[in-house]
Amino acid sequence: MSAHVITDDTEALAVAAALAEEFRAGASARDTERRLPREELGRLSASGLLAVTVPAEHGGADVTATTLAEVFRLLASADGSLAQIPQSHFAYVNVIRRQGSEEQRKFFFAELLAGRRFGNAQSEAGTRHVQDIRTRLEPRPDGSYLLTGVKHYSTGALFADWIPVLARAEDDDLHVAYVPRDAPGLTVVDDWDGMGQRTTASGTVRLEGVAVPADRVLPHHLTFQGPQLHGAVAQLLHAAIDTGIASGALAEAAAFVRTKSRPWFESGVETAAEDPLLIQRFGELALQVRASEALLREAARAVDTARGDLTDDTAAEASVAVAVAKVQAAQTAVEVAGALFEVSGTRSALNSLNLHRHWRDARTHTLHDPTRWKIQHIGRYVLNGTRPPRHGLL
């Protein structure tokens, strides 16, 4: 496999914008047919976008968080499912950046520059809570490990070259094992049945005594022993996806009203686009979308600032800024995607038009983690100066 190597932030944004336009055209049909985007992911890999956070010393563009967030916003404005697939990819690139040895970085960054994709196998169903990880890494006499467990919501695993697996070792510390997609004992089951984000293939990964060499295991627990941006970056990308879904829904609503909606008979105007009440509602929705975009950029800048000077204080400020952006984006995505029908009229509810995909994607994606807890942490920080916890979800 070979891929183009993107050289800087400007090129990354240009490539993302061009791909978003390509992906937009087939987004509705892929969702309706649940046609998995293998060809589109191939284009994404070949474009070099999946390697843009590789450090410069390893040949990458090492783009800013501001650029990466905008890349995801652009992709999500075109296809909320497709944009979700590489979210964990970049989270696990960050694990390598922070916890990988020099040899591990050299190996995996070369893989990324060649267009290889990371999936994920982190969440588990039926446990006490989201951080109750029961998948185990058992040491072998030769220093390698056996990996056993079952993972759910494994977005991207079906399309991956490498699947990062979150697991606990003998000491119960959290590690990430990077496992080849075709490793013996590893099975990916395409059983995702979500109402939204239908083409993410966020199914099940089964691990039955999978052999993992020692040099493919990274000590993820060390990430949270000091100031860190792992959670802030991961959540920033989630916020970017929600913001992109909202902007895509608003654009489609506007196009529908301009070309297909009829004016209400009492309005006295010739077209729906001239209806003053609809104009008012579009103005309100645009305010929400623009506020989400502005808060996303502000949060990304806070992450970039913290990257340049990582302390407990800068990390906390970045996490809170991202939490603010995520709450706003989640609320906006659901509201705007639902309001699409309000402004467009009865015809917009036709199943054949599939305009409900925006709301389904928004409602599904915003369930990743509860905004009510983000609001709690924001309030504690503002009122009492309490820094957010270091658990990777802020």
Side-chain angles (χ1 to χ4, degrees):
M1 180 183 292
S2 62
H4 173 70
V5 177
I6 290 173
T7 58
D8 57 30
D9 293 64
T10 300
E11 185 183 6
L13 292 172
V15 170
L19 284 178
E21 286 308 304
E22 285 185 31
F23 297 159
R24 193 184 314 279
S28 179
R30 286 192 297 273
D31 176 89
T32 298
E33 302 163 12
R34 198 180 176 270
R35 175 160 43 86
L36 300 182
R38 296 184 186 277
E39 181 179 340
E40 289 76 14
L41 285 171
R43 291 278 297 114
L44 190 63
S45 291
S47 76
L49 272 182
L50 296 182
V52 293
T53 58
V54 170
E57 61 267 29
H58 289 272
D62 200 9
V63 301
T64 63
T66 302
T67 293
L68 188 63
E70 180 62 6
V71 165
F72 270 79
R73 190 197 68 80
L74 287 166
L75 294 175
S77 72
D79 187 334
S81 283
L82 188 54
Q84 177 60 31
I85 292 170
Q87 190 272 338
S88 289
H89 169 96
F90 284 98
Y92 286 106
V93 173
N94 280 345
V95 175
I96 295 169
R97 287 186 63 140
R98 187 169 175 92
Q99 300 303 337
S101 67
E102 184 56 34
E103 284 303 310
Q104 288 169 327
R105 291 180 186 132
K106 181 179 178 180
F107 174 80
F108 280 115
F109 291 154
E111 288 284 281
L112 293 169
L113 290 169
R116 304 288 195 278
R117 295 190 291 268
F118 290 166
N120 96 84
Q122 54 187 16
S123 295
E124 299 180 11
T127 57
R128 291 184 302 117
H129 51 70
V130 70
Q131 293 209 330
D132 181 17
I133 302 297
R134 301 182 182 180
T135 298
R136 309 302 298 189
L137 273 168
E138 299 180 16
R140 305 168 78 185
D142 63 359
S144 65
Y145 297 89
L146 285 180
L147 185 59
T148 302
V150 179
K151 299 290 189 176
H152 297 83
Y153 314 117
S154 302
T155 302
L158 190 68
F159 315 111
D161 299 289
W162 292 90
I163 301 179
V165 181
L166 212 53
R168 296 196 183 276
E170 274 191 318
D171 53 11
D172 218 35
D173 284 336
L174 208 54
H175 292 70
V176 178
Y178 290 74
V179 184
R181 167 68 179 80
D182 58 357
L186 186 154
T187 305
V188 180
V189 184
D190 181 20
D191 57 358
W192 171 238
D193 191 32
M195 68 172 181
Q197 294 196 303
R198 288 177 171 175
T199 62
T200 59
S202 300
T204 301
V205 171
R206 301 185 183 279
L207 304 136
E208 300 176 9
V210 177
V212 184
D215 62 357
R216 296 294 178 261
V217 177
L218 279 70
H220 191 32
H221 60 98
L222 297 180
T223 300
F224 308 103
Q225 292 186 5
Q228 52 84 33
L229 296 172
H230 179 81
V233 172
Q235 291 295 308
L236 181 70
L237 301 186
H238 282 308
I241 292 167
D242 289 338
T243 302
I245 291 172
S247 63
L250 183 62
E252 186 140 15
F256 193 95
V257 169
R258 285 195 301 266
T259 60
K260 296 182 175 65
S261 296
R262 297 183 296 180
W264 184 244
F265 70 95
E266 293 178 284
S267 67
V269 297
E270 291 297 317
T271 67
E274 298 172 283
D275 184 332
L277 299 183
L278 282 180
I279 290 171
Q280 175 74 19
R281 187 62 175 133
F282 269 96
E284 293 167 351
L285 297 173
L287 283 174
Q288 294 296 322
V289 172
R290 290 197 176 202
S292 297
E293 292 171 348
L295 287 171
L296 180 68
R297 289 191 295 270
E298 180 181 288
R301 286 194 294 268
V303 171
D304 285 327
T305 296
R307 276 182 65 180
D309 179 24
L310 187 59
T311 67
D312 285 330
D313 288 336
T314 60
E317 182 58 36
S319 290
V320 170
V322 170
V324 169
K326 181 65 169 66
V327 171
Q328 171 70 20
Q331 293 172 347
T332 299
V334 173
E335 179 183 355
V336 173
L340 183 156
F341 302 97
E342 170 196 337
V343 298
S344 300
T346 306
R347 186 182 176 190
S348 64
L350 292 177
N351 196 55
S352 58
L353 295 176
N354 198 27
L355 294 176
H356 48 68
R357 74 185 183 280
H358 300 290
W359 184 87
R360 289 187 289 99
D361 283 347
R363 185 66 281 179
T364 301
H365 182 257
T366 55
L367 298 176
H368 269 84
D369 46 89
T371 55
R372 59 187 177 271
W373 273 101
K374 295 187 186 302
I375 294 171
Q376 279 285 309
H377 292 304
I378 294 166
R380 291 170 184 171
Y381 183 75
V382 171
L383 183 59
N384 298 315
T386 304
R387 296 188 187 109
R390 297 171 181 158
H391 55 41
L393 295 175
L394 277 169

